[in-house]
Amino acid sequence: MSVRIEFRLNGRPAAVTVDESLRLLDLLRDELGLRGAKEGCAEGRCGACCVLLDGLPVNACLVLAVQVRGSAVETIEARDESRLQALLRSGATQCGACSPGVAQTVLWIAEHPDVAESFALEDLLAGHLCRCTGYRGIVEGARRTIEAEKA
Amino acid sequence: MDRLEGLSKLAGLERYVGDLLVEGCWWGATVRSPSPRGRIRRIRFRPEVDWSDFAVVDARDIPGANCIRHIEDDQPALALDRVRHVHEPVLLVAHPSRSAVRRAVRAVEIEVDEDDPVLDFRSAPRPAGIQHGTDNVFSRITIEKGDLESAMAEAAYIVEGVYETGAQEHVCLETQGMLANVEDGVVVVRGSMQCPFYVKEAISHALAKSGDEVRVIQTPTGGGFGGKEDYPSMIGVHAALLAQRVGHPVRMIYDRREDMAATPKRHPSRIRHRTGVDANGRLVAQDVDILLDGGAYTTLSPVVVSRAAIHATGPYACTNARVRGRVVLTNSVPCGAFRGFGGPQAHFANERHMDVIAASLGMDPAELRRRNLLRDGDATLTGQIIEDGTDRVALMDRALEIASVPEKRSRHREFNRSHAYLRRGIGMAAVHHGCGFTGDGEDRLDSRVEVAGLADGAIEVRTASTEMGQGATTILTKLAADRLDFDPRRVRIAPPDTARVPDSGPTVASRTAMIVGKLVEDACDDLRRRLGVAPSCDGEALAEALRGWHLAHPRLLPIGEARYRRASAQGWDASRHRGDAYGAYSWATQVAEVEVDLRTGVARVVDFVSVQDVGRVLDRLLATGQVEGGVAQSLGWALLEQVRFDRGAMINPSLTEYAVPSCRDVPPIRVEFVESPYAGGGQGARGLGEIPADGPAPAIANAIADATGSRPDALPLTAERLAAVIELVPRGGLDGAGTPT
């Protein structure tokens, strides 16, 4: 069954008619052409499809499109590239398939200093699987991003 | 220099094959065998799908040879009448809608008259199980040196051991994917791959096309690790067959389950060592028997077992040895290339065995290695004299020093005496890895590279080397820019497109920076010559000469060329595996510290040190990332990653059921490089990509042995399996002293 939904996408109003079984990830990638979020596992383990839903990181493969009705969705495309320099220079990306998802969470952590202070970065980032870096670059990049944005 | 495509990747702008928008594209999918072995009796297309909307391709529709071209032509592109493993491709279907094509796959029933499958590579097959040759052995190899039996008879000690490793799935974050189209009579295939010319050859062969009628273009590739060395030929042929059938572009993108279940794995191994040692701890006789599980088809297995055999006696001076290797058929998904390519299995067995020998002799494991490590002038198993300037003893001692091994050992003794259920230990591994193809393999590749001087003043580097995250684009840019004294921004790397670049060989075997990198430098020198610029002139003079060339020859690009030439001193006898197996070796010592919970069997790596000589380090951040990533992947193989098989099929093909390391599983990794340049490599580089994956598993297992006094000789050492070899303490700890942490 098709359902019409309205929501905010990257700060702008959006209205689409979607099948009720469509995943948010497919809506973003296939219907709206926003291909920064990747499908890595389709079951919420790898974090490659991470987007912000009402300001919180979620795996877009586990959210139905109809669930975002009335909500705000932000994808990696809305992020300022200049904020990614610390990740780049720490070696946080190699093959890049996990990187947009990692970047979403890292920027979100940097925007929430209370979270960064209360939890270990390794725990906050454990929802992102990376097969290339061994994670040092990612954790170091997160630390440096937080530092840079504090200043 | 920053990783060139790094920002684009982080920002989500990199366009992988699954991200390409193509007008009128159909979706392709694969219908696979439900059975491990047998004759296809019937294929039923259930009526709930209107099949007239679909394109269906089977083995009879293949215009050329029905095989995937690797070493032998035994693997069909689509099974015709017999299947040899669960998930073997049987049919292809395509439709404009992805959900429709998925429904269609589920609506096909393949009925198979089953034969008994061969499932355990360790048992000799019964006559009814023979499916390859007379004994199911895909390939066997024997390397002999000196007089093994006399040396064994005279040895002061003989130490034996049997070591096993399991399958490993690559888990590239980007799954396998291809997009095929027929454009002006040319089959054009774009996709995720390490080796565009392999894919081109496979498609030409299966579709009966000439070289001009097939074009293969690599798209940004989200991880390879060997997983995109051979399998892209399969999915590339499939996508090309469908595109030719439907007359529209066809995209095939595997989901995670299909990617894990149907694509090659690291070869499981069982390796026996029998070693004679003299009274001073010198290895005087090494008898090694290697058995690898090849899965259902040959794929790359003969080369994997060859590399395993050559590395089987480790980085130690070898006087008397016999190494026998076999890779055998089982009715499971074929095994293929995986980072290290037989090296990790060989090193796991050898380095575990070194600790077992040390324990038998009551000798410090480091001292045993120190007495046997190759010195310059010593010969390897194949008789190659090593004389490359690396001080392997100093390298090992540096790793032990960084890891504070003696201090840790005494602290651990104290800790282990007092703690109710935690045990700490430290272990090491000394490893080597031959760089590039084995023996005369590089001659046969006959790699070529071009460097073109473009009309806009930029330089274009044309190689078939693919970027899959390892940094090839950045490294080749740097090598060309440095060689020509050019700003790196004026160097472009041509996309790996078989219509545009020469064949510089596959992006495998730790060969890119070393071999292709050197060819890029040679091609740069050739470009200078063609432009009439002296080797000593700077980049400005070259740029001036390039401007002059284009004024004089408006439509002719100056192109510098280079072709691989083996150093004349490098001799190799392929029939006996004697001589110079590799142009260069990389060397490493890795040290792991673990903590084992005796209540659960969970082993955690708490510290890791990796010191390696990979020749000149071209980019410290990228090189460190290669080491850290290789260590993490090998840590997964050692402790977490267990491919569970039922009737030869992986039954845990998801990231929920198959655990790869997360950032909570990987300890801080301290990486240090020793740099002994190799004249045959770009700026003196040797191979880097694989050696980091050679040592972590034995170092971790040795640390667990140290912590628990057990014999953890079979990987993976998951909690369940480790619990079987150590003495568990009841939960709650001894005398109730322990509480869960």
Side-chain angles (χ1 to χ4, degrees):
Chain A
M1 198 179 78
S2 289
V3 181
R4 183 170 170 79
I5 57 168
E6 293 180 12
F7 65 109
R8 291 188 74 76
L9 176 60
N10 293 335
R12 297 209 184 93
V16 288
T17 301
V18 298
D19 188 274
E20 62 187 357
S21 67
L22 189 76
R23 302 177 305 172
L24 175 59
L25 180 60
D26 300 319
L27 170 66
L28 294 171
R29 287 180 54 85
D30 298 342
E31 316 275 324
L32 301 171
L34 295 169
R35 305 202 156 202
K38 312 294 179 198
E39 178 175 309
C41 68
E43 56 183 20
R45 297 299 288 196
C46 77
C49 62
C50 179
V51 300
L52 299 188
L53 178 56
D54 293 329
L56 288 175
V58 297
N59 289 316
C61 70
L62 295 185
V63 176
L64 289 175
V66 293
Q67 286 176 274
V68 307
R69 172 187 275 163
S71 291
V73 173
E74 280 172 86
T75 68
I76 190 70
E77 284 83 358
R79 298 298 198 156
D80 180 353
E81 262 184 55
S82 64
R83 297 176 65 198
L84 304 171
Q85 283 294 333
L87 284 167
L88 174 69
R89 301 221 156 143
S90 305
T93 184
Q94 287 189 26
C95 89
C98 74
S99 299
V102 168
Q104 283 277 30
T105 297
V106 167
L107 296 182
W108 181 83
I109 297 169
E111 289 156 7
H112 295 79
D114 50 327
V115 173
E117 276 161 31
S118 310
F119 298 93
L121 281 174
E122 286 80 1
D123 290 335
L124 291 168
L125 291 165
H128 290 279
L129 295 179
C130 166
R131 196 58 159 166
C132 297
T133 63
Y135 299 104
R136 194 273 318 151
I138 289 174
V139 175
E140 175 70 17
R143 191 169 291 124
R144 285 164 67 176
T145 303
I146 294 163
E147 278 305 307
E149 304 208 350
K150 240 186 231 164
Chain B
M1 192 161 83
D2 290 334
R3 172 185 285 275
L4 291 168
E5 80 294 355
L7 205 55
S8 162
K9 284 175 168 173
L10 285 158
L13 301 173
E14 194 81 336
R15 289 292 167 253
Y16 301 83
V17 64
D19 302 329
L20 299 176
L21 292 168
V22 183
E23 204 61 37
C25 195
W26 286 37
W27 285 94
T30 314
V31 184
R32 298 175 178 280
S33 169
S35 164
R37 184 185 176 204
R39 181 172 293 279
I40 298 172
R41 179 176 60 235
R42 192 161 81 109
I43 297 176
R44 202 162 84 85
F45 295 85
R46 286 208 306 264
E48 70 254 30
V49 166
D50 179 358
W51 291 98
S52 65
D53 290 349
F54 289 82
V56 179
V57 166
D58 68 22
R60 292 161 303 180
D61 299 317
I62 296 173
N66 181 11
C67 70
I68 299 302
R69 185 135 248 209
H70 293 305
I71 292 168
E72 288 190 27
D73 288 347
D74 61 338
Q75 183 177 25
L78 292 170
L80 174 64
D81 53 352
R82 296 199 67 89
V83 289
R84 269 202 200 166
H85 66 93
V86 177
H87 302 309
E88 178 163 5
V90 179
L91 293 177
L92 305 170
V93 293
H95 188 276
S97 149
R98 189 177 200 181
S99 53
V101 88
R102 284 178 172 160
R103 274 197 305 277
V105 168
R106 289 194 296 269
V108 181
E109 283 173 23
I110 298 172
E111 296 171 11
V112 177
D113 288 328
E114 286 200 6
D115 299 320
D116 281 345
V118 174
L119 297 176
D120 185 353
F121 74 105
R122 294 164 300 189
S123 328
R126 287 170 302 158
I130 302 298
Q131 297 155 70
H132 185 96
T134 57
D135 54 6
N136 278 356
V137 176
F138 286 126
S139 180
R140 51 163 47 87
I141 174 175
T142 302
I143 307 176
E144 288 178 293
K145 185 177 189 192
D147 182 348
L148 178 81
E149 288 312 329
S150 308
M152 200 70 85
E154 288 164 22
Y157 312 92
I158 293 178
V159 183
E160 299 187 49
V162 182
Y163 308 93
E164 297 191 350
T165 64
Q168 186 180 23
E169 161 56 33
H170 304 82
V171 191
C172 301
L173 258 284
E174 183 211 21
T175 58
Q176 305 274 353
M178 290 283 165
L179 171 65
N181 193 20
V182 182
E183 298 171 13
D184 301 324
V186 177
V187 177
V188 181
V189 174
R190 293 174 173 80
S192 187
M193 66 184 79
Q194 294 176 225
C195 317
F197 283 91
Y198 282 6
V199 178
K200 177 178 165 156
E201 166 73 11
I203 293 171
S204 301
H205 198 60
L207 272 69
K209 297 274 185 196
S210 72
D212 298 341
E213 295 169 314
V214 180
R215 177 177 177 189
V216 175
I217 305 164
Q218 183 236 6
T219 50
T221 295
F225 317 117
K228 291 171 184 168
E229 175 170 352
D230 55 309
Y231 200 81
S233 297
M234 175 72 84
I235 182 173
V237 165
H238 289 171
L241 285 167
L242 282 172
Q244 192 155 357
R245 163 60 65 90
V246 303
H248 297 283
V250 174
R251 191 200 307 271
M252 300 185 82
I253 309 286
Y254 287 1
D255 66 17
R256 179 60 59 190
R257 294 188 80 83
E258 183 174 21
D259 196 74
M260 294 183 84
T263 70
K265 307 276 169 280
R266 187 188 292 289
H267 290 70
S269 74
R270 185 195 64 195
I271 302 180
R272 294 176 189 279
H273 275 264
R274 182 167 154 261
T275 308
V277 188
D278 75 10
N280 299 317
R282 295 276 304 190
L283 310 177
V284 292
Q286 291 159 287
D287 188 7
V288 188
D289 184 64
I290 300 167
L291 184 64
L292 301 182
D293 180 353
Y297 294 103
T298 309
T299 70
L300 302 166
S301 288
V303 202
V304 174
V305 75
S306 150
R307 188 176 276 271
I310 291 169
H311 289 74
T313 54
Y316 304 109
C318 175
T319 44
N320 303 289
R322 178 180 62 188
V323 175
R324 291 174 295 186
R326 279 174 302 151
V327 56
V328 299
L329 176 146
T330 55
N331 291 105
S332 57
V333 67
C335 292
F338 197 144
R339 195 178 204 168
F341 209 75
Q345 294 95 324
H347 284 302
F348 175 73
N350 196 53
E351 286 301 291
R352 256 310 283 142
H353 191 58
M354 288 298 278
D355 267 33
V356 170
I357 294 172
S360 310
L361 270 60
M363 186 183 274
D364 173 51
E367 182 56 29
L368 176 67
R369 289 174 172 85
R370 208 172 279 122
R371 291 184 189 183
N372 289 284
L373 277 169
L374 285 156
R375 268 59 169 189
D376 266 10
D378 285 345
T380 66
L381 169 66
T382 65
Q384 179 166 8
I385 306 295
I386 298 297
E387 206 135 39
D388 63 1
T390 303
D391 184 338
R392 283 157 287 273
V393 174
L395 185 153
M396 181 185 82
D397 285 335
R398 177 65 187 144
L400 300 176
E401 182 190 340
I402 299 173
S404 314
V405 170
E407 299 89 314
K408 287 247 172 94
R409 281 200 199 282
S410 67
R411 263 190 281 154
H412 290 164
R413 267 194 297 277
E414 191 59 35
F415 179 88
N416 292 344
R417 253 200 305 274
S418 57
H419 203 282
Y421 56 85
L422 293 179
R423 294 292 176 270
R424 292 182 181 161
I426 197 159
M428 62 177 300
V431 295
H432 67 321
H433 202 91
C435 312
F437 269 34
T438 304
D440 55 2
E442 290 293 341
D443 300 270
R444 283 183 279 113
L445 284 177
D446 193 25
S447 299
R448 288 174 300 120
V449 162
E450 293 173 1
V451 173
L454 305 184
D456 65 0
I459 295 294
E460 185 179 72
V461 178
R462 300 171 179 170
T463 79
S465 298
T466 52
E467 172 67 56
M468 50 182 149
Q470 86 283 37
T473 304
T474 308
I475 290 301
L476 296 181
T477 300
K478 175 188 163 58
L479 287 171
D482 287 355
R483 195 68 166 192
L484 296 171
D485 186 33
F486 257 45
D487 186 321
R489 284 170 299 191
R490 288 172 62 192
V491 174
R492 292 180 205 144
I493 303 296
D497 170 348
T498 58
R500 288 199 52 192
V501 299
D503 185 356
S504 46
T507 309
V508 305
S510 306
R511 65 186 294 278
T512 301
M514 185 172 104
I515 287 176
V516 181
K518 177 70 174 168
L519 291 174
V520 166
E521 293 186 329
D522 292 349
C524 287
D525 295 348
D526 189 50
L527 178 67
R528 279 174 184 272
R529 269 192 298 277
R530 280 165 199 261
L531 291 172
V533 183
S536 56
C537 281
D538 64 7
E540 258 328 297
L542 180 69
E544 185 55 45
L546 187 54
R547 277 192 291 274
W549 172 284
H550 283 291
L551 285 173
H553 314 85
R555 270 182 298 280
L556 186 64
L557 284 185
I559 297 176
E561 296 171 334
R563 188 164 213 146
Y564 178 79
R565 291 260 180 282
R566 175 164 43 152
S568 55
Q570 197 184 331
W572 177 247
D573 175 351
S575 61
R576 295 164 55 234
H577 268 71
R578 302 295 308 160
D580 299 325
Y582 300 99
Y585 293 84
S586 291
W587 312 94
T589 292
Q590 297 174 308
V591 184
E593 184 183 4
V594 302
E595 188 173 277
V596 181
D597 188 328
L598 296 183
R599 300 167 305 173
T600 58
V602 170
R604 229 161 38 86
V605 184
V606 295
D607 187 32
F608 200 94
V609 170
S610 186
V611 179
Q612 47 274 307
D613 192 341
V614 295
R616 189 69 77 212
V617 172
L618 303 184
D619 180 299
R620 200 148 291 270
L621 188 64
L622 293 182
T624 303
Q626 283 297 295
V627 175
E628 293 165 334
V631 170
Q633 212 164 40
S634 188
L635 181 155
W637 182 52
L639 295 180
L640 304 170
E641 298 179 33
Q642 184 168 21
V643 178
R644 294 174 191 273
F645 289 104
D646 181 37
R647 288 166 29 99
M650 183 178 188
I651 54 166
N652 55 334
S654 76
L655 295 182
T656 303
E657 300 156 286
Y658 179 89
V660 298
S662 82
C663 63
R664 280 192 297 218
D665 300 306
V666 182
I669 301 167
R670 289 178 283 160
V671 178
E672 194 169 293
F673 295 98
V674 174
E675 299 183 54
S676 312
Y678 167 56
Q683 285 187 13
R686 304 185 202 171
L688 162 62
E690 291 169 290
I691 191 163
D694 281 321
I700 290 166
N702 286 337
I704 291 172
D706 180 48
T708 61
S710 64
R711 284 281 297 257
D713 294 346
L715 301 183
L717 294 161
T718 58
E720 295 89 333
R721 293 171 49 131
L722 189 53
V725 295
I726 61 176
E727 204 168 315
L728 285 188
V729 168
R731 269 179 184 276
L734 293 172
D735 307 324
T739 45
T741 49

